[in-house]
Amino acid sequence: MNNFIKFISMRAGNFSLALFIVMLCASISTMAQGDGARFYWKGFMGTNAVPVIVNSMGGNANPMDPSNTVIPGSEFSAAMSMAGYARMLPIGKRSALISVLVPMGRISGVASLDGIDFSATSRGFGDPMVQFSINVIGPKAIMNIPDILRYKPGFSLDILGSLAVPIGQYDNTIPINIGQNRWYGRIGIPIVWQIGQWIPGKRTTFEFLPAVWFFTDNKDFVGKTMSTKPKYQLEAHLTRDFMERMWGSFDVISYLGGKSTVDGVEGDALSNLGLGGTLGYQINENMQLTLSYNTTVNDNDAEDLKMDGFRITFLYGWHKLIEGMHRLKGNE
Amino acid sequence: MKYLLSFFLTGAMLFRGETKAQVREEAKAQTPEKRPNIVLILADDMGFSDMGMFGSEIRTPNLDSLAQSGVRFTNFYTCASSSPTRSMLLTGQDTHINGLGAMDEWTAPAQMGKEGYEGNLRTSLVTLPQLLKDAGYHTYMVGKWHLGKAPDKIPAARGFERDFTLLDGMGSYWDMTNMTALNHTSVFTEDGKYLTKLPKNYYATKTYTDKLISFIDKNHGDGKPFFAYVCHQAPHDPYHLPKDWRNRHVGEYDKGWDIVRQERLKKQKEFGIIPENTQLAERMWFVPDYSILAPATRAVLGRKMELYAGLIENMDYHIGRLIDHLKEIGEYENTIFIVFGDNGAEGNDLGAMIGGTPGTLNYLYFATKWSNTDLNAWGEPHSYVGYGPGWAQVSMTPFSQYKGWMAEGGIHNALVVSGPINKLPKGSINHGTMFVTDIMPTLLEVAGANYPETFNGKAQPKLTGKSWLPVLNGQAASPRTDEDYIAMEVFGNRALRQGDWKIRWEIKPIGKSDWELFNLAQDPGERNDLAAQYPDKLKEMLILWDKYVQENNVILPDRTLFETLEDQLPARVPVQDGYPPLNYIRQFIPPADMMAKPKKIKNN
């Protein structure tokens, strides 16, 4: 029997690279950087993943506030990390992803609101966000290794819904908080469009994420009520493999709308464009690392959103079948 | 005879000083029929059962159309390897006479420097295209040559008027990438010139067909027939094929080689290709029962066969283009087609043999040039896929073994002949014993050409092949009598067939390193070695073997390609369906009414 196995491993060739199970991420679009490239690629159903994200961001809006409410003249800087859990699961014959992400860290900033200057630091846990997405157009769910081997996204379209639960740390005496003290969420349709062949080292995709964010009111924003109209997100990425394990992307993100009103005083709606780039590296079958930078570009006016940031994402994924195969291999 | 007459008349008129045009016109007037064109299609490593009309599920409508309008020969033999077969085809001589007593890649020390073992076609021998050219044929070649690269050995020097040729034995279908660190670039010729680069949009099968069509068109209308030697690289590994052809069988082969072999066997019996009582050859003992393989392994191995099938279908498509073109220009009805594979299907892992040893130059070369290993890259430039012994046995259904070996799976090929020389009912099947050396005398007869006693002042050995025309005319069931025999040797492996009997000697562990005896009429799968049961028959056939050795100066190699195989393969065991039962015993499910939860233990 051992001979048979050796025979097969010789004949089956090197397809281990096709067994990457880390082909998913958890949404981290609480920042102006968006979800990022290659977020909505599909993986082996049953795959679990833990993302750890480190952000360094700054600008004239609270990076943790998904409405990106601009406070003219303000200066925020944030050192954040996020950790979460995601799992791919089949629903019907479609692939779905459920994830939860908890932000944590520290934000400090200087802001002036209604003539009152604030200089504050906020630290602790933010609002956990739960997200669910399901594919509606594209290849069927990857249920087994042959499906992985034959997977090609072609044109793939998902529907997603996110919801942040307002249980993060919040101080109603300052405008700078990690928690937002209100429910918010979004619906969107992530699209992955394969350009050319699906060969590691040569994969190219064009990816879009149109989404709409909805917010309830924060009824205790420094003692006032903050309302925010729906915000429209359009994210696009042109991604390309540089090598089998290394890829990069050109990222564009735009936000529109999301006008905030604080006790009847209207702010400006967003109309900004951000550009950036991402480098990704698949460390092994279980681990992936990405590094990205994004900055707003049409931000000359005081009311314009100014924000930039670095983000490092480490993702560890596992699947019981793949882990079992590793154990057997280790015992040979 | 009428062709011969026409040839002499033409020669005589030219001698009288008449212009070629006048000669052509007069010849036309005097010759009721133009001599037929000949298209000889050699598919590299195509197996016995790979064409639809020989039992395959691979879609080959154009090859099938030739079979349906012609004859299928079910007992056609080649040598067990590429260039030896080609050498016999082009000279009509045994390999040990014509220079391919050993392939140049594997010439053994004992054979080096010996006449007949040059590893390329001896220039002292006349070739089929040379004689056909002399007889007034245009002679064209496209595809793989593998019979020598020096200027005096290339197709243009060996009788081909036009050529577009890969001189190497294998290589990329997409570019000039070849297989080893020291022989890294494939060498091509076109009309006798060595190419510095390939044409734009080169893809072997397509370009060969395009070139041949252009050759035919260039001279079409001058009244001369043509001989086209179409040596497709397909379906030799690496399996390179255009994207459109890669995904026509996705998942179809996940069921595995055992089932596909059974399906092909069933079809072959329905077609009458093989006797009703034929048993499949034993699966090679180191090839696993597909049913025990994991789905992923099935998918990966199945993918290899998907590509192979696509490669053959692509080749069939281009053969169809050639057929259609001949119909368009009005030549199809007057064209003989001869189609076959040059040896058994390839079950050896050439990629691993060449580039599979870390630390070697060739490994480094493979890492640079042949490492496009992702499953989705298979078929692309720099990918290397061969389907291995399990699928090779499918291609050789119902036979045992594959290329390089002397079981029927290495040397027994499908042969289709169609066109004006066939007087048998369309779609006929013939079971006569045919050999690749027969092609030379057959085609010389068709062309009305003589085989010379000397060539360039050198005496020519006699042709040993038998013309097929008596068979195609319906005058004989086989070109051979019961006393005639055919024999061959390559890599030290040997075989001889006479009537229904066959002896073979193969190196361990594929063979026994001893002579085996089979009755092919009763046992085409060579399951039962009858050497011990019929010692007299064995002895009788060994006498013929000794005769063959003497007549053909056979020098057995002291080193061979397979000399370390016994150390590489698992110990040989019989392959019996359902053994060991451990692999097949399924979960026991008790009767539902007898199932219960465990009872509680008191005080627990």
Side-chain angles (χ1 to χ4, degrees):
Chain A
M1 184 60 67
N2 197 36
N3 282 325
F4 286 171
I5 292 170
K6 281 182 179 166
F7 167 86
I8 284 306
S9 71
M10 177 179 76
R11 295 287 172 186
N14 177 12
F15 62 96
S16 61
L17 290 176
L19 295 183
F20 286 148
I21 58 174
V22 185
M23 290 174 73
L24 59 91
C25 284
S27 169
I28 51 169
S29 61
T30 50
M31 258 66 62
Q33 287 176 296
D35 289 31
R38 297 192 172 184
F39 254 44
Y40 294 98
W41 286 22
K42 302 298 177 282
F44 192 2
M45 294 299 103
T47 296
N48 306 277
V50 171
V52 177
I53 301 149
V54 177
N55 267 88
S56 173
M57 303 190 71
N60 60 359
N62 178 355
M64 291 309 299
D65 173 6
S67 68
N68 298 121
T69 303
V70 174
I71 303 175
S74 64
E75 280 290 337
F76 292 91
S77 66
M80 299 294 303
S81 66
M82 281 172 268
Y85 170 75
R87 181 176 172 85
M88 301 214 81
L89 68 165
I91 294 181
K93 291 186 175 178
R94 313 311 303 179
S95 58
L97 170 67
I98 188 159
S99 63
V100 60
L101 199 70
V102 181
M104 65 198 85
R106 186 183 304 125
I107 302 174
S108 60
V110 177
S112 180
L113 202 65
D114 290 343
I116 303 170
D117 292 333
F118 293 91
S119 175
T121 298
S122 179
R123 54 173 63 86
F125 291 95
D127 302 328
M129 176 172 275
V130 179
Q131 177 165 300
F132 174 77
S133 64
I134 184 165
N135 177 259
V136 289
I137 298 174
K140 64 175 187 174
I142 300 171
M143 300 302 297
N144 49 47
I145 296 176
D147 287 348
I148 296 180
L149 300 175
R150 290 170 181 152
Y151 172 76
K152 291 172 188 169
F155 182 85
S156 169
L157 185 147
D158 300 357
I159 292 175
L160 75 80
S162 310
L163 183 67
V165 184
I167 57 174
Q169 290 196 325
Y170 186 77
D171 181 348
N172 62 2
T173 64
I174 55 173
I176 302 163
N177 277 291
I178 290 181
Q180 300 304 309
N181 195 38
R182 60 175 169 172
W183 295 84
Y184 61 91
R186 66 171 171 170
I187 55 173
I189 46 173
I191 293 166
V192 176
W193 191 359
Q194 173 190 336
I195 310 293
Q197 292 179 278
W198 198 248
I199 299 170
K202 295 179 180 173
R203 291 170 300 196
T204 303
T205 58
F206 206 14
E207 302 175 9
F208 303 95
L209 173 57
V212 185
W213 290 84
F214 299 98
F215 307 89
T216 62
D217 291 348
N218 177 357
K219 293 177 179 169
D220 196 6
F221 180 66
V222 204
K224 301 172 188 298
T225 296
M226 180 165 72
S227 305
T228 305
K229 289 191 171 175
K231 182 182 81 169
Y232 303 95
Q233 171 188 353
L234 180 60
E235 193 177 331
H237 307 274
L238 179 63
T239 86
R240 169 71 181 172
D241 282 352
F242 298 141
M243 294 181 290
E244 283 190 9
R245 288 166 178 266
M246 180 174 273
W247 58 273
S249 79
F250 174 63
D251 308 322
V252 178
I253 188 165
S254 176
Y255 289 114
L256 298 169
K259 178 192 285 186
S260 285
T261 304
V262 179
D263 270 359
V265 179
E266 289 189 353
D268 291 314
L270 293 170
S271 176
N272 69 286
L273 179 70
L275 301 178
T278 302
L279 277 176
Y281 184 70
Q282 187 83 42
I283 299 166
N284 58 28
E285 288 182 357
N286 298 94
M287 292 185 275
Q288 178 171 278
L289 191 67
T290 60
L291 172 65
S292 59
Y293 176 74
N294 189 287
T295 183
T296 52
V297 289
N298 57 338
D299 54 6
N300 292 332
D301 296 335
E303 296 77 19
D304 292 337
L305 178 68
K306 293 185 182 64
M307 190 169 285
D308 76 336
F310 289 97
R311 177 166 67 193
I312 297 171
T313 304
F314 173 78
L315 191 67
Y316 187 90
W318 72 96
H319 190 288
K320 63 180 182 182
L321 174 62
I322 306 297
E323 296 306 302
M325 289 168 70
H326 285 168
R327 286 193 294 274
L328 286 177
K329 200 173 177 184
N331 288 339
E332 269 182 4
Chain B
M1 181 55 77
K2 64 189 172 195
Y3 304 134
L4 197 62
L5 187 64
S6 166
F7 176 64
F8 284 130
L9 280 172
T10 306
M13 284 186 281
L14 277 171
F15 184 74
R16 291 203 308 267
E18 296 176 18
T19 66
K20 278 185 181 175
Q22 282 175 313
V23 169
R24 272 201 299 272
E25 285 307 311
E26 287 181 34
K28 232 183 233 179
Q30 291 174 19
T31 310
E33 290 177 44
K34 188 180 131 186
R35 286 180 297 174
N37 306 306
I38 302 160
V39 175
L40 201 160
I41 298 173
L42 199 53
D44 204 354
D45 292 355
M46 183 174 73
F48 177 80
S49 72
D50 283 334
M51 288 188 272
M53 291 298 283
F54 279 82
S56 183
E57 70 295 331
I58 298 172
R59 293 182 283 269
T60 55
N62 296 297
L63 290 167
D64 293 349
S65 74
L66 295 177
Q68 282 160 340
S69 65
V71 190
R72 278 168 286 171
F73 291 95
T74 67
N75 273 304
F76 171 66
Y77 286 86
T78 61
C79 194
S81 195
S82 168
S83 50
T85 291
R86 290 158 202 267
S87 70
M88 288 196 282
L89 161 63
L90 292 176
T91 62
Q93 301 295 338
D94 183 79
T95 55
H96 307 86
I97 301 288
N98 68 30
L100 269 294
M103 293 176 70
D104 66 346
E105 296 91 340
W106 303 103
T107 312
Q111 298 167 327
M112 284 182 183
K114 304 283 171 42
E115 191 173 273
Y117 297 81
E118 292 83 351
N120 49 61
L121 208 57
R122 285 174 61 202
T123 51
S124 57
L125 297 179
V126 72
T127 64
L128 174 64
Q130 185 65 56
L131 293 177
L132 291 178
K133 189 161 83 170
D134 293 347
Y137 269 71
H138 289 297
T139 53
Y140 310 134
M141 170 177 177
V142 289
K144 168 177 150 179
W145 177 242
H146 205 192
L147 293 171
K149 293 180 182 175
D152 61 337
K153 296 181 173 64
I154 59 178
R158 303 316 309 268
F160 286 103
E161 179 186 331
R162 303 288 310 272
D163 79 287
F164 184 91
T165 309
L166 166 68
L167 297 180
D168 294 85
M170 62 188 295
S172 171
Y173 288 57
W174 295 108
D175 51 39
M176 298 174 92
T177 308
N178 208 266
M179 305 312 304
T180 69
L182 299 180
N183 185 36
H184 44 73
T185 304
S186 296
V187 184
F188 288 81
T189 57
E190 183 166 19
D191 297 340
K193 299 289 184 189
Y194 294 90
L195 293 182
T196 55
K197 62 180 183 179
L198 290 171
K200 278 184 182 171
N201 302 318
Y202 173 82
Y203 173 70
T205 314
K206 176 184 178 295
T207 304
Y208 297 156
T209 307
D210 292 345
K211 287 287 181 184
L212 177 59
I213 287 173
S214 74
F215 296 164
I216 292 169
D217 285 353
K218 178 80 177 171
N219 293 316
H220 184 236
D222 68 359
K224 288 171 73 173
F226 66 82
F227 166 63
Y229 180 44
V230 187
C231 297
H232 281 298
Q233 196 173 336
H236 196 297
D237 55 338
Y239 302 158
H240 284 173
L241 63 166
K243 293 184 193 75
D244 292 351
W245 297 87
R246 292 176 200 161
N247 295 314
R248 299 183 176 218
H249 295 272
V250 174
E252 287 178 20
Y253 291 106
D254 287 12
K255 58 190 169 190
W257 37 64
D258 296 316
I259 291 176
V260 181
R261 276 214 301 162
Q262 290 286 355
E263 290 171 348
R264 290 194 180 187
L265 179 75
K266 186 167 175 278
K267 270 196 198 171
Q268 289 173 331
K269 288 179 179 176
E270 286 169 5
F271 290 162
I273 298 288
I274 54 171
E276 193 59 38
N277 62 350
T278 301
Q279 274 193 297
L280 274 180
E282 191 175 289
R283 188 179 65 243
M284 307 287 274
W285 74 97
F286 51 87
V287 174
D289 175 354
Y290 217 78
S291 71
I292 70 163
L293 300 179
T297 310
R298 293 185 195 193
V300 172
L301 293 172
R303 179 66 178 155
K304 298 185 175 193
M305 187 65 192
E306 291 168 20
L307 292 178
Y308 179 81
L311 198 51
I312 289 188
E313 289 179 0
N314 175 267
M315 179 180 72
D316 178 81
Y317 166 77
H318 288 290
I319 289 170
R321 286 179 54 220
L322 175 62
I323 291 171
D324 290 345
H325 186 74
L326 292 176
K327 286 178 179 172
E328 279 170 25
I329 63 173
E331 293 291 345
Y332 176 75
E333 294 299 329
N334 194 37
T335 299
I336 298 166
F337 280 86
I338 300 174
V339 185
F340 59 95
D342 62 341
N343 40 245
E346 177 61 278
N348 303 295
D349 193 334
L350 296 177
M353 284 167 62
I354 298 168
T357 308
T360 62
L361 269 180
N362 285 340
Y363 184 82
L364 188 65
Y365 180 72
F366 258 59
T368 310
K369 294 292 186 185
W370 291 105
S371 57
N372 208 1
T373 56
D374 186 85
L375 200 69
N376 287 334
W378 288 2
E380 289 282 294
H382 308 296
S383 64
Y384 194 103
V385 179
Y387 63 6
W391 293 117
Q393 271 202 278
V394 168
S395 287
M396 297 312 296
T397 302
F399 304 129
S400 178
Q401 304 177 15
Y402 41 79
K403 177 181 176 182
W405 299 92
M406 290 295 176
E408 296 296 283
I411 56 179
H412 194 144
N413 260 282
L415 169 68
V416 171
V417 179
S418 74
I421 54 169
N422 175 40
K423 307 301 179 197
L424 296 172
K426 289 181 176 180
S428 294
I429 293 174
N430 179 279
H431 303 296
T433 303
M434 328 288 275
F435 196 33
V436 66
T437 51
D438 300 340
I439 290 172
M440 180 115 162
T442 303
L443 294 184
L444 291 181
E445 192 175 346
V446 164
N450 283 325
Y451 181 73
E453 290 185 0
T454 61
F455 173 69
N456 287 344
K458 303 269 176 61
Q460 297 296 294
K462 284 182 181 170
L463 290 177
T464 55
K466 311 279 185 185
S467 171
W468 296 342
L469 293 190
V471 176
L472 291 162
N473 287 334
Q475 296 161 344
S478 170
R480 290 188 164 71
T481 67
D482 289 344
E483 282 69 44
D484 290 331
Y485 66 91
I486 58 174
M488 63 201 82
E489 180 277 333
V490 69
F491 308 131
N493 294 327
R494 305 146 221 179
L496 183 144
R497 177 170 181 171
Q498 185 189 43
D500 293 339
W501 291 92
K502 173 186 173 183
I503 55 170
R504 75 175 197 220
W505 189 105
E506 298 178 305
I507 195 166
K508 283 182 177 178
I510 302 287
K512 295 180 176 175
S513 291
D514 200 356
W515 287 101
E516 298 173 82
L517 174 70
F518 300 94
N519 185 311
L520 295 178
Q522 294 165 8
D523 181 23
E526 293 168 279
R527 283 175 162 264
N528 304 305
D529 173 14
L530 303 174
Q533 197 177 337
Y534 296 102
D536 292 342
K537 186 67 189 175
L538 177 63
K539 198 173 170 184
E540 183 187 310
M541 294 191 72
L542 285 175
I543 292 171
L544 293 178
W545 174 259
D546 289 340
K547 183 167 176 269
Y548 167 76
V549 167
Q550 283 195 346
E551 287 177 354
N552 294 284
N553 186 33
V554 175
I555 301 170
L556 293 175
D558 50 349
R559 301 285 310 271
T560 91
L561 160 64
F562 301 121
E563 62 191 0
T564 60
L565 201 58
E566 200 169 8
D567 298 329
Q568 297 166 24
L569 289 175
R572 184 165 185 163
V573 290
V575 176
Q576 292 162 300
D577 289 342
Y579 185 85
L582 170 69
N583 288 334
Y584 309 99
I585 296 171
R586 292 184 181 273
Q587 176 67 46
F588 174 72
I589 300 173
D593 60 350
M594 291 183 69
M595 295 179 82
K597 290 180 179 172
K599 293 174 182 171
K600 285 184 181 171
I601 300 171
K602 280 184 182 176
N603 303 324
N604 193 4

